Amino acid sequence: MVSEVLQKIDQHDEFVLTSHARPDGDAIGSVLACSQVIRALGKKAEIILSDGVPQLYRRLPRAESVIQSREINGKFEAAIILECDSLQRTHLDGLERGFLINIDHHASGKPFAHVNWIDPMACATAELIYELAREAGVKITADMATCLYTAVLTDTGSFCFSGTNHRAFALAEELVRCGADPVRIAQGIYFSNPFSKTRLLGAALSTLQREGALAWMHVSGADMRRCQAAEEDCEGLVNYALGNAGIEVAAFFRELEDGRYRVSLRSKGAVDVAAVAEIFGGGGHGCASGCSVDGPLEAAQQKILALLRQGLR
């Protein structure tokens, strides 16, 4: 499949790269590294993300080059959509005008593009970008390695999720050899939280509930405002519910401005949370997924928790 992707890249000269709205570490790291691969092949590459780069990842090499926009106004021939299961999830208008290349590693990935490279065996989409660079004969620079290592580290849950295997560690080792600094990257991600995120964590933990192997918590819009928290401050909070002894699956509910709830789901493997998320139009990994559901809170929790209980049974 990588050869077909490279063939299509060779046939075009001007590219737009993007990923899903509310981009995570794999989305950011992959688009940044992929853009460098495309440019190394003598092509033009522009990164456009509907929500821009989260504060957590703005220190990554060339993050400042990312354009935040909800539409593509400039000229392009082809678009590479990374770690995303549909054009709609990019929240970016105008992609349909070009030739589409879809590169993803989610089991819930969908073949929506002209060329679809979906490999659920990869630990992160970054692994596919690494393979793309190697197949193209492009040297992995220290900047590329830093972006790719960040993607792998975050999407494997610091090498805790089920996708972690010998390939993931071999890739991490190779990226360190290419110039990624694992200590500096980890400190930038896990020891550089804004104070607003820590305050929001306190609000979420005050709502923590447990029922057997199931745990859940939530934050309201009022909590977000009181803590002066941004949407990205919610990333990873669900892991504090999952991290308790005896808990197999956890859910985190965040109230949206329209009264709906964004739900983050995590599992230690006993429940396929991607299957739950897909019921509500979301998706992801078997151990880490997300979706949005209608409120109010009690109704949203009832829908999600019923399915998680069923999965545990």
Side-chain angles (χ1 to χ4, degrees), residues 13-253:
D13 292 315
E14 297 179 325
F15 292 82
V16 164
L17 278 66
T18 192
S19 186
H20 55 79
R22 300 183 299 275
D24 57 11
D26 193 20
I28 297 298
S30 293
V31 296
L32 288 173
C34 188
S35 70
Q36 295 173 59
V37 174
I38 297 300
R39 293 185 185 113
L41 293 172
K43 313 289 185 176
K44 294 181 180 179
E46 188 171 66
I47 303 173
I48 303 178
L49 296 172
S50 60
D51 290 325
V53 180
Q55 185 69 40
L56 189 62
Y57 303 112
R58 288 181 188 169
R59 283 174 290 189
L60 286 177
R62 313 197 187 188
E64 73 283 351
S65 68
V66 175
I67 297 170
Q68 181 176 1
S69 177
R70 290 297 176 106
E71 61 181 347
I72 301 174
N73 293 315
K75 175 186 174 185
F76 75 103
E77 298 175 13
I80 301 177
I81 301 98
L82 299 161
E83 219 226 359
C84 189
D85 62 9
S86 68
L87 291 184
Q88 291 70 33
R89 282 201 66 210
T90 67
H91 292 186
L92 186 58
D93 293 331
L95 289 170
E96 65 282 352
R97 301 199 315 262
F99 185 88
L100 303 179
I101 300 172
N102 167 29
I103 303 177
D104 193 8
H105 80 118
H106 291 101
S108 58
K110 300 176 179 64
F112 63 86
H114 298 103
V115 173
N116 300 276
W117 183 16
I118 303 172
D119 182 3
M121 297 303 294
C123 66
T125 297
E127 182 176 339
L128 304 181
I129 303 307
Y130 174 84
E131 185 179 342
L132 182 73
R134 285 301 195 200
E135 186 70 18
V138 172
K139 178 184 177 182
I140 304 294
T141 65
D143 282 355
M144 288 184 201
T146 297
C147 295
L148 293 174
Y149 185 95
T150 299
V152 171
L153 181 68
T154 55
D155 222 47
T156 59
S158 300
F159 304 103
C160 290
F161 293 160
S162 60
T164 304
N165 53 30
H166 69 283
R167 284 172 51 182
F169 285 110
L171 175 58
E173 178 184 11
E174 182 59 26
L175 293 173
V176 172
R177 291 183 186 277
C178 290
D181 184 336
V183 174
R184 185 174 62 84
I185 292 170
Q187 288 180 345
I189 293 172
Y190 300 115
F191 300 100
S192 302
N193 288 322
F195 197 61
S196 57
K197 181 169 184 172
T198 304
R199 294 185 64 200
L200 189 66
L201 172 61
L205 289 175
S206 71
T207 72
L208 181 62
Q209 298 184 65
R210 175 177 185 171
E211 180 186 290
L214 170 63
W216 66 95
M217 57 187 187
H218 71 271
V219 294
S220 65
D223 292 327
M224 295 286 290
R225 292 187 291 273
R226 186 180 69 255
C227 297
Q228 297 181 309
E231 182 178 291
E232 63 196 70
D233 290 331
C234 296
E235 184 176 345
L237 296 191
V238 64
N239 294 325
Y240 288 89
L242 185 67
N244 293 282
I247 298 300
E248 290 294 333
V249 62
F252 171 69
F253 298 81

Side-chain angles (χ1 to χ4, degrees), residues 216-220 251-255 261-265 293 297 300-302 304-305 308:
W216 66 95
M217 57 187 187
H218 71 271
V219 294
S220 65
F252 171 69
F253 298 81
R254 175 174 66 89
E255 185 180 20
Y261 280 82
R262 178 67 187 171
V263 188
S264 297
L265 302 171
V293 296
L297 177 62
Q301 290 181 333
Q302 184 177 16
I304 296 293
L305 298 181
L308 296 180

